[in-house]
Amino acid sequence: MPGLFAYLPHLTANKSLLLPEFKISKGRNNVTFVIGIPSIRRPIDVYLINTLQSLIQGMNETEKTETVLIVCITEPWNISYEKKIILDIIQKFPKELDSGLLEVITPQAGYYPDLSQLKAGLGDPHERVKWRSKQNLDYAYLMLYSWKRGSYYLQLEDDIQASPGFIGGMKSALSGNYGDWFLLQFSTLGFIGRLFKSQDVPKVMEFLFMFYASKPCDWLLEDFLRVRMCGHGDIWAYCIHKIRSVARLITPTLFQHEGFHSSFSGNVNKLKDKSFGTGAKKIFFNPPLSGIINNLQAYSKYDIYALYNGDDIFWGGNPKAGDVIDFIFDHPVPLARIHIESGNSEHPGDIIREASLEILPDEFVDGGNLTRKTTPFSEKEKAANIKRYDFLPQLKNLNDTYHVLGTFNSDGAFIMDVPPKYGRILILRIAFHSNSQTWVLIKKMELHVR
């Protein structure tokens, strides 16, 4: 069957080339976190030892027993360098190696295809294409070796600083209300701090094998998420919203990039994660959506999803009596607080007027589930591009199902703590009750969950 050997056909006749050339391991398995750290020789500085010290010092004794750090030194053509780094690790981390917390592996040179035959792409010189293609193969090899060893797989690089208590930070994120997530991101940079459920790692690994010569690894991960989440013809803002619903950035971030000299000869990398550290402001996420029904025509890039994602404002054409904006959650959520503001300093008159904020609790929905709409779309739904979002609630009772929480004030704002009696809510609706002479600009929307 097609698979790894279709992408690396030179391994077909000698599958043993997938085995490590060298390995120090106690075979620790069934841990919570497997942390993969690929390492390559740099022209000037070596950051690996500092990275390992930062990670080990950032864990308490209990966390050390539920974690395994796997260092993969990917310099099979430079045996003297590999030996030097391995000896340095043995001398500095004997306790961690003996306990099984730390492992070291090196791939065989024969694992790699002939990188000199790669075609140039993306405007990169041939040497850079070789470098980024090998990096993809390094990451994929480490995933292949590591993914079954624990519940979660964390991808790092060898030039990072870990926040003290980073294991606790990841556990806290795992207990959060992030729905059916695919990826938790504990850094804003590159491929650093990407946490996957172990059962999902083979999907990413195979994608890297499949397209290793096409793009850098972080670009490939973005492509993978687009393929996974975005439908054909989806507007870009909606596509980004769906990706963010499964690829969550967690702040404050837990890993900072420290390397200055890149492993690609002659390059320097000054990038820093500005949200790293306990003092960083926490990024706010609205609950994941199944879709939005919006009767108002958006102007230019100011789409309703851009507002909901926190990327921009929503700016739409004149609302009419009976128009609605329905935010349909992908599962019923217990809303605690709603904060919506409209108008801004440049367009102070473009506020929400004579409108109410309404909710549909899941008690009025058939099982609280979303079912495919089978009745024809109305002209208003067609005008709202509802064809993009064909999952709508199957209501038990069409009469008196929405509860009115209140009306927008004279400033076009709605700020309210939602009473617990309403339970879990499937749809949040902005309902317009009169024709407006002005457009509507919504500048802020935050929905807090209990």
Side-chain angles (χ1 to χ4, degrees):
M1 296 294 292
L4 168 61
F5 300 108
Y7 316 131
L8 300 177
H10 70 287
L11 298 176
T12 305
N14 191 356
K15 298 178 178 63
S16 64
L17 290 172
L18 287 169
L19 298 174
E21 179 77 25
F22 177 85
K23 178 171 70 172
I24 303 177
S25 172
K26 293 294 183 178
R28 181 182 286 192
N29 282 306
N30 302 316
V31 296
T32 303
F33 297 106
V34 180
I35 301 178
I37 309 166
S39 184
I40 190 172
R41 188 180 70 85
R42 297 167 188 267
I44 301 178
D45 296 320
V46 176
Y47 302 100
L48 176 61
I49 299 302
N50 288 341
T51 293
L52 291 175
Q53 288 173 338
S54 175
L55 290 167
I56 292 167
Q57 292 170 4
M59 292 185 276
N60 61 37
E61 293 305 312
T62 299
E63 292 167 345
K64 290 177 182 178
T65 65
E66 56 188 10
T67 304
V68 59
L69 307 171
I70 303 178
V71 175
C72 183
I73 304 171
T74 61
E75 287 286 345
W77 304 280
N78 193 337
I79 302 302
S80 61
Y81 173 81
E82 284 190 341
K83 288 181 176 179
K84 177 180 180 301
I85 296 300
I86 292 169
L87 183 60
D88 204 11
I89 292 174
I90 291 173
Q91 291 175 341
K92 289 183 168 61
F93 305 103
K95 177 182 175 182
E96 289 75 19
L97 290 168
D98 187 61
S99 69
L101 169 61
L102 179 60
E103 294 188 16
V104 182
I105 61 172
T106 65
Q108 299 181 56
Y111 156 69
Y112 296 92
D114 185 356
L115 299 176
S116 66
Q117 300 302 311
L118 298 176
K119 296 180 180 179
L122 305 180
D124 287 339
H126 186 255
E127 283 303 309
R128 185 171 182 86
V129 173
K130 287 173 57 178
W131 171 79
R132 58 175 168 80
S133 298
K134 179 184 174 295
Q135 185 182 55
N136 287 334
L137 293 169
D138 294 345
Y139 280 56
Y141 184 87
L142 189 48
M143 291 178 178
L144 180 64
Y145 175 84
S146 307
W147 73 275
K148 287 186 177 181
R149 307 281 295 278
S151 302
Y152 302 97
Y153 178 81
L154 176 72
Q155 184 69 61
L156 292 180
E157 295 181 2
D158 66 349
D159 56 347
I160 61 96
Q161 175 191 349
S163 176
F166 70 95
I167 293 290
M170 291 193 295
K171 286 182 177 180
S172 176
L174 289 170
S175 66
N177 182 29
Y178 296 116
D180 186 21
W181 62 273
F182 178 82
L183 169 66
L184 297 183
Q185 303 175 87
F186 295 99
S187 171
T188 62
L189 302 176
F191 217 94
I192 298 172
R194 272 42 182 170
L195 183 76
F196 305 91
K197 301 166 190 170
S198 289
Q199 66 263 28
D200 290 328
V201 172
K203 303 179 183 71
V204 179
M205 175 184 69
E206 187 164 3
F207 203 77
L208 290 175
F209 278 131
M210 195 182 306
F211 298 106
Y212 72 90
S214 301
K215 295 180 181 180
C217 52
D218 49 337
W219 292 15
L220 287 177
L221 182 58
E222 292 176 2
D223 287 344
F224 178 90
L225 291 168
R226 279 195 288 270
V227 170
R228 181 183 175 94
M229 298 304 300
C230 299
H232 181 68
D234 277 347
I235 59 173
W236 181 242
Y238 181 50
C239 177
I240 292 296
H241 169 78
K242 290 201 290 186
I243 290 173
R244 288 183 179 179
S245 71
V246 298
R248 295 286 190 160
L249 174 63
I250 310 299
T251 58
T253 53
L254 300 177
F255 305 101
Q256 178 64 284
H257 177 256
E258 290 294 320
F260 182 76
H261 296 282
S262 170
S263 56
F264 182 61
S265 181
N267 276 27
V268 296
N269 189 345
K270 300 180 181 180
L271 292 176
K272 292 290 183 181
D273 189 332
K274 296 180 181 180
S275 65
F276 175 77
T278 56
K281 181 180 179 181
K282 187 173 181 63
I283 294 176
F284 182 82
F285 290 106
N286 283 319
L289 293 177
S290 171
I292 300 176
I293 299 174
N294 179 20
N295 297 147
L296 308 186
Q297 182 65 44
Y299 171 71
S300 186
K301 65 177 182 177
Y302 304 114
D303 185 86
I304 191 69
Y305 281 98
L307 167 73
Y308 196 83
N309 292 340
D311 294 331
D312 215 322
I313 63 172
F314 167 70
W315 202 13
N318 309 59
K320 301 178 180 59
D323 283 345
V324 298
I325 305 177
D326 282 350
F327 300 89
I328 307 172
F329 302 115
D330 68 353
H331 63 280
V333 295
L335 290 182
R337 183 173 174 81
I338 299 170
H339 188 146
I340 301 173
E341 296 181 17
S342 63
N344 64 11
S345 58
E346 295 180 358
H347 303 277
D350 289 357
I351 62 174
I352 297 176
R353 294 183 172 86
E354 298 187 45
S356 59
L357 203 290
E358 304 175 4
I359 57 172
L360 177 67
D362 69 337
E363 64 181 286
F364 293 101
V365 181
D366 186 10
N369 296 315
L370 296 180
T371 56
R372 191 172 294 275
K373 183 179 175 70
T374 56
T375 56
F377 293 113
S378 68
E379 291 304 315
K380 183 172 287 188
E381 286 174 335
K382 290 179 181 178
N385 262 333
I386 187 59
K387 61 181 180 293
R388 292 199 305 266
Y389 325 116
D390 58 357
F391 287 92
L392 292 173
Q394 184 66 45
L395 301 182
K396 289 181 180 178
N397 180 4
L398 295 177
N399 299 318
D400 194 27
T401 54
Y402 282 84
H403 290 272
V404 178
L405 291 181
T407 58
F408 285 78
N409 64 26
S410 58
D411 295 323
F414 186 95
I415 304 172
M416 178 182 177
D417 293 327
V418 181
K421 68 179 182 179
Y422 291 113
R424 293 180 177 272
I425 295 165
L426 180 63
I427 300 177
L428 180 72
R429 165 176 287 181
I430 300 175
F432 297 90
H433 302 298
S434 66
N435 297 343
S436 176
Q437 301 302 311
T438 65
W439 284 24
V440 165
L441 185 154
I442 306 177
K443 64 180 180 180
K444 179 177 183 177
M445 183 173 187
E446 287 190 1
L447 306 178
H448 298 263
V449 178
R450 295 188 191 284

